[in-house]
Amino acid sequence: MTSLGNSSSTGTEYIVRVPKNTSKRYNIMAFNAGDKVNCSTWTQARMERDMSNRRMYGEEETPEAGAGSEFGKKQREEARRKKYGIITKEFKVEDQPWLLKVNGKAGRRFKGLKKGGVTENASYYIFTQCADGAFEAFPVHGWYNFTPQAKHRTLTAEEAEEEWGRRNKVVNHFSIMLQRRLREQEHGEEEEEVAGEKGGKKKKKKGGKGGDLRIHDLEDDLEMSSDESDSSGGEDGEGKSKSKKDISSKAKAKKKKKRKGSDQEGLEDSDDGDFEGLEVDYMSDESSSEEEEPEKAKPNKGDDVPKGIDEASESEEESEEENKNEEEGKEEEEEEEGKKTPVQTEKKKKKEKESSGESDSSEDSDIEGETASALFMAKKRTPPKRGGRGSAGSSRTGSRPGTPSIDNAATSNTLRAAASKLEQGKRQAATSSSDTPAAKRLKMEPSSQSPSGKSTPQPASGKSTPSSSDVQLTEDAVRRYLIRKPMTTKDLLKKFQTKRTGLSSEQTVNVLAQILKKLNPERKNINDKMHFYLTE
Amino acid sequence: MSDKGQDVDLTRAKQNTGVWLVKVPKYLSQQWGKASGRGEVGKLKIANQGKTTVSFSLNEELTVVESSGETASSVRAPREHPFSMQSVGGQTLAVFTESSLDQITIEGMVVQRAECRPAVQESYVKLKKLQIEESTKPLRLSQRLEKAVTTNYKPVSNHTYNVEYEKKKKEEGKRARSDKEKVLEMLFSAFEKHQYYNIKNLVEITKQPVIYLKEILREIGVYNSRGPHKSTWELKPEYHHYQEGEEDEGTME
């Protein structure tokens, strides 16, 4: 600091001059103290006006003559502006910000914005001391506040919103920018033809990352173990490994930050409380980065879940199909047999479905399964009696005749009997597993005729008839429903809920099956589902 | 592009030249502006007894305050102005100058900030009073007139402007149709200058009756009823070759 004149104990006097006609305009360049700017260390500096706002003021330039111009356009525009009182502000070069570049390309950059209102109420003067000891005062023309500009990559508004949306999924926020940079580098490497520039840029980026120690949070953290790491690879590796470690690394980073904090451009230094709410990954030695882990976890989980319920869903789908085709005995047989006896199978199915969380449909499908099985059972009784009554390709019915035992068992209407029947049926039907659904449907249709014809006495016998206390699940009720509109078995079952009718689900199923057989409604396939309806 | 991107002269910066930044009241800077000769305005006294005190005293001749209205002599600017010194702590201030030739120079760093305060004396108080009076005066004033103003508008049988207008119209007469060839020539030369014309403008240029002109225009031109150049006529595409910035003659086909 230069001393301002000889000072004796009493004091000294200096003449103050205010020079006139100075060709130079004095301005103030203000830096924030925290930026630690020392002009004496500057080796080279360039300064220019930032003209990027010019286009805001410049209006659309229409050609004034020749092609595209209109006669009298200018006058009309002016008249119009006057009429509406539109006053457009001029673009004053004087008020434009400054761009200051210090120490060339690799140095710092500053933007200087003009501070308004400086010369309104008071004037600032710069007092400099001349060689003769007198002071010269120059008025300050303008005051510019210079702020350093970030050289590290920042996110645009869209990118920032994107990252914000992912904040709950991303565990390690420190490596967000790092990942972006790596991605970019990969892109750059792919386009090697334009490599010349890009290579330079990449290197610059890498070097920039290594060199810009002070600007970015992440880089400070990355550099916890080495001050100059020129290779971004090293940094990356460190970054990843760093992110694994916990508080110790953060503490180190904090220390580093404090040391280097001086050059940070106004970014807040990390305080102790900053790390409290951060999510920390487990202390594992995985080599993959944190960011990918949650993403990996997600697909894994996704995989597991479907796997878990795959079997159940398969069974469910199959059971639904059965209901669609109604007594699609084949599939049901196979499926059921594939696992266990129908009773147990269905119970199991129920359990599986419930455990897999598809409880909403489990009940229905369960009931459906039972309905189907019940219907199937009934149907199965009759084909053997009929003999080869089914359509020509029905090997199932063809295979029936050879099993008089089934006929005998037909009298019992419990599910267990049905199970045994099914087992036998399945063995015979195993060969015909390749039936097409169409064929099955054909089969079923004629075969369904038979139950209605022949089996009237049977449903009434043996089977646990519904208690007469049930008011709702009656043939009349079902008939009413079916007359009104076509319904699937599912729909019907919904109408007669177990809570309301007082029946157990099994009973409901059985009774409904009987009623349907009695009514023998017509079928229609709507939306791939078999609907019943009556017309009267 | 900007021609202001220049290297900054850093010589003084490297020398670490220090300067003071002083805030000076308006009236004082006004007085300073009246300085004559070499620009000497006063003296700066720095005393170092224990505390460093700085004070500025204005030269005698500059204490005369100009004021509108009242006589100037009664009010004078104070002479003594102690400086209140302040630190530069929160900011790093540098001074740079812009020369008329757009040369930017760093003049130095601010090492001390100060405020120039007038010593509170009677003269200062009076001065301030004067200033306040002046500033409170409204810019506009309502004044009551004794007599109504009757000199502006007098009844006239026919305004002069109207008379002239009618005369002009009579002279000109109705627009006469000239030969088609001539009209076309005029039109083409007009369309050389601008691409789009309003029918009224064309009427004025060619001095032709509107109907006749429209007929001709329909032959060679097209009417834009919509778009950026609304309700204007332009030549048909085959008649013009407009190139960017160049004017070409429309050819007749």
Side-chain angles (χ1 to χ4, degrees):
Chain A
M1 205 165 116
T2 55
S3 60
L4 294 156
N6 302 326
S7 51
S8 52
S9 53
T10 47
T12 38
E13 273 197 12
Y14 304 91
I15 295 176
V16 178
R17 282 198 299 269
V18 177
K20 301 198 168 219
N21 310 326
T22 41
S23 55
K24 295 203 282 191
R25 290 234 186 114
Y26 279 71
N27 303 290
I28 297 278
M29 189 191 281
F31 297 94
N32 217 351
D35 299 335
K36 300 287 187 298
V37 175
N38 191 357
C39 291
S40 51
T41 59
W42 295 353
T43 49
Q44 178 229 40
R46 279 184 80 84
M47 198 146 110
E48 61 186 0
R49 290 276 184 192
D50 177 15
M51 298 295 209
S52 58
N53 291 331
R54 192 193 274 277
R55 52 191 152 75
M56 280 208 306
Y57 290 101
E59 285 131 19
E60 307 235 346
E61 299 301 325
T62 48
E64 291 183 16
S69 68
E70 267 186 50
F71 182 80
K73 177 91 178 171
K74 252 188 148 182
Q75 291 92 322
R76 259 196 287 133
E77 283 296 317
E78 215 183 295
R80 188 170 170 272
R81 247 180 264 127
K82 275 197 190 154
K83 173 176 157 192
Y84 291 115
I86 298 170
I87 303 168
T88 42
K89 280 192 180 171
E90 286 173 27
F91 174 83
K92 284 185 222 142
V93 185
E94 283 286 305
D95 296 343
Q96 297 312 303
W98 285 103
L99 286 176
L100 170 67
K101 295 171 214 173
V102 178
N103 294 340
K105 280 274 178 178
R108 296 180 86 177
R109 293 193 68 182
F110 296 90
K111 186 162 180 180
L113 295 157
K114 187 161 189 178
K115 181 167 145 177
V118 172
T119 48
E120 273 171 18
N121 295 320
S123 340
Y124 281 97
Y125 278 79
I126 297 284
F127 278 50
T128 54
Q129 198 167 29
C130 303
D132 61 351
F135 278 89
E136 283 195 336
F138 301 96
V140 167
H141 193 75
W143 185 301
Y144 294 87
N145 288 322
F146 279 77
T147 48
Q149 292 201 301
K151 295 177 101 171
H152 58 274
R153 195 153 132 25
T154 47
L155 301 175
T156 65
E158 287 94 21
E159 290 170 348
E161 288 219 27
E162 203 188 289
E163 294 294 339
W164 175 257
R166 294 178 35 205
R167 72 193 186 284
N168 289 324
K169 300 177 197 162
V170 173
V171 177
N172 181 16
H173 296 272
F174 291 117
S175 65
I176 291 174
M177 295 305 279
L178 176 63
Q179 294 295 323
R180 274 187 179 265
R181 222 163 295 169
L182 290 178
R183 257 177 263 146
E184 272 176 38
Q185 280 177 5
E186 282 172 20
H187 270 285
E189 277 160 9
E190 285 167 12
E191 303 162 10
E192 281 275 278
E193 292 90 86
V194 203
E197 268 185 17
K198 291 223 169 149
K201 274 188 206 165
K202 255 193 304 165
K203 277 177 199 156
K204 203 182 154 194
K205 271 184 202 166
K206 287 188 184 183
K209 219 164 36 117
D212 291 346
L213 307 177
R214 283 115 200 154
I215 295 175
H216 190 75
D217 277 346
L218 169 62
E219 289 167 289
D220 282 347
D221 289 337
L222 287 179
E223 285 168 339
M224 46 155 242
S225 49
S226 69
D227 271 349
E228 324 111 338
S229 39
D230 291 328
S231 62
S232 57
E235 278 186 67
D236 292 352
E238 282 174 24
K240 285 175 194 167
S241 57
K242 178 257 169 195
S243 54
K244 302 300 182 298
K245 290 158 201 167
D246 194 16
I247 299 169
S248 59
S249 62
K250 279 171 192 160
K252 270 199 207 169
K254 269 190 270 175
K255 282 191 210 155
K256 293 274 171 175
K257 270 195 182 172
K258 280 181 189 158
R259 258 191 270 153
K260 294 179 193 161
S262 55
D263 266 339
Q264 290 200 2
E265 11 153 331
L267 290 179
E268 62 268 330
D269 286 334
S270 63
D271 296 328
D272 277 341
D274 275 1
F275 295 108
E276 273 170 10
L278 281 183
E279 297 168 33
V280 175
D281 199 20
Y282 294 114
M283 319 294 168
S284 57
D285 283 339
E286 289 173 20
S287 57
S288 64
S289 78
E290 238 82 12
E291 223 180 38
E292 293 159 22
E293 279 172 358
E295 290 164 29
K296 277 187 202 160
K298 267 185 298 175
N300 284 340
K301 199 184 165 204
D303 281 339
D304 287 340
V305 176
K307 273 187 213 154
I309 59 169
D310 257 353
E311 290 186 337
S313 62
E314 266 178 27
S315 64
E316 201 200 317
E317 284 167 8
E318 287 173 354
S319 67
E320 282 189 343
E321 262 191 58
E322 295 150 26
N323 298 326
K324 287 180 213 161
N325 301 324
E326 229 209 306
E327 303 136 60
E328 195 76 39
K330 276 280 139 76
E331 291 177 351
E332 193 192 16
E333 269 184 322
E334 287 170 4
E335 181 208 7
E336 285 182 342
E337 292 321 303
K339 294 168 190 179
K340 275 153 209 185
T341 59
V343 182
Q344 291 144 351
T345 312
E346 290 186 4
K347 285 191 184 154
K348 252 253 151 128
K349 262 202 260 174
K350 201 176 188 179
K351 275 190 208 159
E352 280 177 8
K353 283 172 203 160
E354 283 174 355
S355 65
S356 68
E358 304 180 27
S359 48
D360 50 346
S361 51
S362 63
E363 233 187 326
D364 282 348
S365 46
D366 195 26
I367 293 175
E368 287 171 40
E370 290 182 352
T371 314
S373 62
L375 292 169
F376 169 72
M377 268 174 0
K379 180 180 55 105
K380 284 208 83 179
R381 274 175 247 128
T382 51
K385 290 185 186 167
R386 290 283 158 161
R389 184 197 149 142
S391 58
S394 64
S395 51
R396 183 174 54 166
T397 46
S399 63
R400 286 287 169 232
T403 55
S405 56
I406 289 175
D407 211 14
N408 295 336
T411 49
S412 81
N413 289 335
T414 59
L415 286 171
R416 210 154 272 171
S420 54
K421 269 181 251 161
L422 286 172
E423 276 184 33
Q424 293 168 0
K426 198 228 172 178
R427 276 179 218 124
Q428 286 147 13
T431 52
S432 63
S433 55
S434 57
D435 270 350
T436 60
K440 280 183 190 167
R441 217 167 279 146
L442 284 170
K443 246 187 299 167
M444 277 187 2
E445 292 204 4
S447 57
S448 69
Q449 301 289 333
S450 47
S452 61
K454 281 261 176 168
S455 61
T456 29
Q458 286 169 355
S461 70
K463 201 154 200 171
S464 48
T465 44
S467 53
S468 49
S469 61
D470 154 47
V471 188
Q472 288 157 342
L473 182 47
T474 58
E475 194 188 14
D476 283 341
V478 175
R479 179 175 295 154
R480 256 186 292 123
Y481 285 129
L482 292 182
I483 286 174
R484 200 182 302 151
K485 86 166 200 177
M487 300 179 75
T488 61
T489 49
K490 205 176 188 176
D491 296 337
L492 284 170
L493 285 163
K494 272 193 205 150
K495 296 286 184 187
F496 305 116
Q497 286 175 3
T498 56
K499 290 180 190 167
R500 292 171 55 200
T501 63
L503 299 173
S504 73
S505 52
E506 278 182 24
Q507 286 175 325
T508 316
V509 164
N510 293 337
V511 174
L512 190 59
Q514 287 170 24
I515 294 174
L516 282 174
K517 267 177 273 154
K518 237 196 217 172
L519 292 176
N520 189 25
E522 296 183 84
R523 299 142 192 264
K524 199 169 29 165
N525 227 358
I526 304 174
N527 295 338
D528 290 337
K529 283 204 181 122
M530 183 63 65
H531 286 65
F532 299 114
Y533 66 99
L534 285 168
T535 50
E536 283 194 339
Chain B
M1 291 301 294
S2 74
D3 47 347
K4 286 196 176 188
Q6 26 244 343
D7 285 336
V8 180
D9 183 359
L10 295 170
T11 44
R12 294 263 195 107
K14 290 190 182 129
Q15 291 163 9
N16 258 329
T17 324
V19 296
W20 284 13
L21 179 67
V22 183
K23 194 173 188 181
V24 171
K26 268 284 174 187
Y27 73 90
L28 197 58
S29 59
Q30 276 172 9
Q31 299 305 102
W32 286 0
K34 294 184 213 152
S36 58
R38 284 191 67 207
E40 216 183 278
V41 294
K43 292 192 172 48
L44 197 65
K45 291 184 201 118
I46 302 177
N48 256 335
Q49 310 153 351
K51 287 190 265 178
T52 309
T53 44
V54 185
S55 154
F56 170 77
S57 48
L58 188 62
N59 278 351
E60 182 70 41
E61 61 266 17
L62 290 174
T63 53
V64 180
V65 175
E66 265 182 33
S67 60
S68 56
E70 315 277 310
T71 53
S73 52
S74 62
V75 183
R76 285 179 157 232
R79 289 196 67 193
E80 289 303 313
H81 299 86
F83 274 22
S84 143
M85 308 306 274
Q86 292 156 357
S87 77
V88 201
Q91 288 180 306
T92 313
L93 299 170
V95 182
F96 75 97
T97 56
E98 228 186 300
S99 72
S100 48
L101 306 162
D102 291 340
Q103 169 62 38
I104 298 171
T105 319
I106 301 263
E107 298 290 338
M109 312 291 290
V110 173
V111 293
Q112 189 73 256
R113 280 187 79 159
E115 263 184 44
C116 181
R117 299 215 164 120
V120 182
Q121 300 157 345
E122 222 186 286
S123 51
Y124 178 64
V125 174
K126 277 194 196 157
L127 176 72
K128 270 294 160 194
K129 222 168 148 187
L130 195 69
Q131 277 185 356
I132 291 169
E133 275 176 17
E134 273 186 38
S135 63
T136 48
K137 268 189 220 158
L139 287 167
R140 290 158 191 246
L141 197 62
S142 309
Q143 208 178 22
R144 189 188 164 141
L145 299 170
E146 288 90 31
K147 259 178 78 177
V149 178
T150 52
T151 50
N152 285 358
Y153 299 105
K154 288 204 173 115
V156 164
S157 60
N158 198 1
H159 293 293
T160 42
Y161 170 74
N162 271 348
V163 168
E164 282 171 19
Y165 183 68
E166 277 155 26
K167 253 198 233 168
K168 201 179 103 190
K169 279 279 172 174
K170 266 200 187 161
E171 274 177 59
E172 232 184 78
K174 301 232 167 127
R175 294 196 179 97
R177 300 185 179 198
S178 11
D179 292 337
K180 196 163 164 192
E181 304 273 324
K182 291 194 187 142
V183 176
L184 281 169
E185 261 184 55
M186 280 196 278
L187 282 175
F188 283 129
S189 57
F191 277 108
E192 264 178 53
K193 292 188 214 128
H194 297 275
Q195 189 177 354
Y196 302 99
Y197 277 90
N198 209 345
I199 187 69
K200 292 187 196 161
N201 303 135
L202 284 172
V203 163
E204 197 148 349
I205 293 172
T206 57
K207 308 269 191 265
Q208 302 296 298
V210 183
I211 307 164
Y212 181 53
L213 188 60
K214 269 196 190 170
E215 276 177 20
I216 301 177
L217 272 177
R218 258 180 236 126
E219 262 180 62
I220 60 155
V222 65
Y223 182 72
N224 293 317
S225 54
R226 269 177 289 164
H229 309 278
K230 203 176 139 181
S231 53
T232 55
W233 284 87
E234 62 171 331
L235 282 180
K236 284 188 183 160
E238 59 262 23
Y239 281 99
H240 69 70
H241 8 267
Y242 286 122
Q243 288 162 25
E244 291 200 24
E246 287 184 29
E247 297 171 356
D248 283 318
E249 248 176 298
T251 54
M252 269 190 13
E253 298 185 13

